[in-house]
Amino acid sequence: MTLMEKKTTKMEKPKNRSIGRPVLKGETPAPKAAERPETVSENDSVSLETPQPEIQARRSVESPRLRVGITPGDGGPLHYGALARLFSDGGVFESVLPFVYGSSSLLAQAAEKAGLGDMNVAAINQIQDIKGKRAQVLEPRAEGEDGDVDAYAALQAGIRHLAQGQLRVLVSLPLTDEEVRERHADFKNQAVAVAEIFSGSPFRLLLARSMRLSFLTTTAKQDTAGYLSPQRVEQRIKAIYDVLRSDFSITTPRIAVLSAAMQGRPAQTDTEVLKPVVDRLLEGGMPVFGPYAAQDFFTKPDHEAFDAVLCMYKEQAEMAFDILPKEDCCYYTAGLPIVHVEPVFGNGDTESAFRAVFRALCTGVDLDAARQQNMKLTENPLGYHAASYRRDSREEN
């Protein structure tokens, strides 16, 4: 055969070529795409008292992009102005699918008022209909007295989708708790409302660019003995350690513990509670250090050497606001099978609020990505298939 004949000869396509790993003898084949269970519909009855263990492993069937639900909080001009600024940038739709629980008319009005042009805002009835690359708003059925979508109804819609497994990441803008309690007396705050539908021991983490902080109680509580007990301190340190490994991909987190001696309180808790717990965990191989004086801890660069800080009081954690811009911080409800993030608004202008929402959105997406990656790495750490192992064992015998 000549060289010309070789070039003009048509390559034969291999026949019966299988795609993916072949099914071994005795192994049950994987279900086809049409046989796999669909996403839970909004009309399905889901018990909020018994959390579904497979929630964190479910993925969206309709879109390869991650859905991110955003609640407007108080729903004022500042909140919708920040959301309009967020959706005006088309780059936000490249890797994720964000949408708003709220009012489509208020979002369009905020965009027009901010000079962002005629924003194409789509009102969606069901979460399954959310797709494409445009601003989309899912309006809850319950409405407030003035006709606008109620803030509590928007939050409850997001919580319902989290419980049903149709949503993995929820970003909730700041909400005035006292105003919600006027009509819903049992409401505490957004983090508690989200955490109540899942089992476990969730806690809040204040996330900043250079530190992560958690707190056990506030100085306003008179009886701090129950909140600063050795069992509770040790439990929180271990919980922070596990979250840093699973959600932040930190192999060996370093944790600092702050002193309880603050605002005239004696250092008795440090010597009787904190120091014994820290020494016991450190001897067991967990890199925990302290207790450190809170007044000096944040004024020195030493805090950058730790991956997380455990504060005894919320006021200690809020000291970080003195050295960091508020729009660079957000609260993360850790210890849940889903991701819930709350941005912190700073100066009260639309631009800083937009930066806070954008950072909270990116933080929620990064946390979910790290968690999904950790799940893949730990679901089969030995890297062998049970069917292959059984076959190799039979061949050896």
Side-chain angles (χ1 to χ4, degrees):
M1 181 181 295
T2 62
L3 181 62
M4 182 62 66
E5 290 174 341
K6 290 182 179 180
K7 291 183 178 180
T8 56
T9 301
K10 186 176 182 181
M11 298 291 294
E12 293 186 1
K13 185 177 181 180
K15 300 179 180 180
N16 300 329
R17 185 177 181 179
S18 61
I19 300 177
R21 186 178 65 84
V23 179
L24 303 176
K25 184 178 181 180
E27 182 181 4
T28 303
K32 299 180 181 180
E35 300 175 353
R36 293 175 182 172
E38 299 180 355
T39 308
V40 180
S41 63
E42 190 172 356
N43 297 327
D44 291 344
S45 59
V46 177
S47 175
L48 301 185
E49 297 179 357
T50 306
Q52 306 299 321
E54 69 276 13
I55 286 180
Q56 57 183 358
R58 293 182 181 176
R59 288 185 174 273
S60 174
V61 177
E62 294 81 2
S63 173
R65 291 181 293 160
L66 174 69
R67 287 200 195 107
V68 180
I70 306 176
T71 61
D74 292 332
L78 178 64
H79 296 68
Y80 275 102
L83 293 175
R85 175 74 173 81
L86 176 69
F87 287 105
S88 64
D89 186 4
V92 73
F93 301 104
E94 291 301 326
S95 58
V96 296
L97 190 57
F99 65 96
V100 179
Y101 293 96
S103 172
S104 57
S105 60
L106 291 180
L107 182 60
Q109 294 173 9
E112 182 180 359
K113 185 178 180 180
L116 301 175
D118 188 10
M119 180 175 291
N120 183 17
V121 181
I124 306 299
N125 296 325
Q126 294 183 350
I127 190 173
Q128 295 89 343
D129 299 331
I130 297 175
K131 56 185 177 179
K133 297 182 178 181
R134 58 175 178 172
Q136 300 174 80
V137 178
L138 198 154
E139 298 184 345
R141 297 177 182 177
E143 296 186 353
E145 298 177 356
D146 54 356
D148 296 334
V149 176
D150 182 57
Y152 183 79
L155 178 63
Q156 288 300 312
I159 293 175
R160 183 174 65 253
H161 290 149
L162 289 174
Q164 293 174 346
Q166 300 185 89
L167 192 68
R168 293 206 310 260
V169 179
L170 178 66
V171 178
S172 56
L173 272 60
L175 181 64
T176 305
D177 301 335
E178 291 76 11
E179 295 181 1
V180 179
R181 293 193 193 105
E182 293 179 358
R183 289 186 293 178
H184 308 279
D186 57 342
F187 179 80
K188 296 181 179 180
N189 54 58
Q190 297 188 90
V192 173
V194 173
E196 282 179 345
I197 67 173
F198 299 102
S199 60
S201 301
F203 60 96
R204 303 184 79 187
L205 272 176
L206 176 61
L207 306 181
R209 294 187 181 275
S210 59
M211 67 180 71
R212 307 169 187 88
L213 303 100
S214 179
F215 54 89
L216 289 175
T217 181
T218 64
T219 55
K221 297 183 181 296
Q222 299 296 329
D223 181 19
T224 59
Y227 292 92
L228 302 182
S229 63
Q231 294 78 11
R232 194 164 187 266
V233 172
E234 182 174 351
Q235 179 184 11
R236 179 60 58 85
I237 293 176
K238 292 181 177 179
I240 295 174
Y241 188 83
D242 294 337
V243 167
L244 292 178
R245 297 185 63 185
S246 62
D247 297 355
F248 295 89
S249 300
I250 303 176
T251 306
T252 309
R254 295 168 55 90
I255 302 175
V257 178
L258 297 189
S259 170
M262 182 181 176
Q263 297 182 357
R265 296 180 180 272
Q268 184 178 1
T269 305
D270 293 352
T271 57
E272 297 181 357
V273 177
L274 300 183
K275 187 61 176 175
V277 172
V278 169
D279 293 342
R280 182 168 60 255
L281 294 177
L282 185 59
E283 292 177 359
M286 187 176 296
V288 183
F289 307 92
Y292 300 98
Q295 290 80 356
D296 301 331
F297 185 80
F298 295 107
T299 58
K300 298 179 181 179
D302 296 343
H303 65 270
E304 299 180 357
F306 299 95
D307 299 298
V309 180
L310 176 59
C311 307
M312 297 300 106
Y313 314 109
K314 184 179 180 181
E315 285 75 7
Q316 293 176 336
E318 292 176 347
M319 289 181 180
F321 289 149
D322 297 335
I323 60 176
L324 295 171
K326 282 190 175 182
E327 58 267 20
D328 289 341
C329 303
C330 61
Y331 282 104
Y332 170 45
T333 309
L336 297 176
I338 51 86
V339 175
H340 174 235
V341 184
E342 301 177 60
V344 178
F345 283 3
N347 301 328
D349 60 287
T350 304
E351 186 62 25
S352 63
F354 155 70
R355 291 198 300 268
V357 176
F358 182 74
R359 169 158 175 76
L361 173 66
C362 295
T363 300
V365 173
D366 291 342
L367 289 170
D368 179 80
R371 176 177 294 181
Q372 298 301 318
Q373 181 66 21
N374 183 71
M375 288 172 57
K376 289 183 179 180
L377 295 175
T378 56
E379 65 180 354
N380 189 16
L382 296 181
Y384 68 88
H385 297 282
S388 301
Y389 177 77
R390 291 194 298 268
R391 181 193 62 184
D392 296 339
S393 298
R394 290 195 299 267
E395 292 177 354
E396 292 178 359
N397 296 332

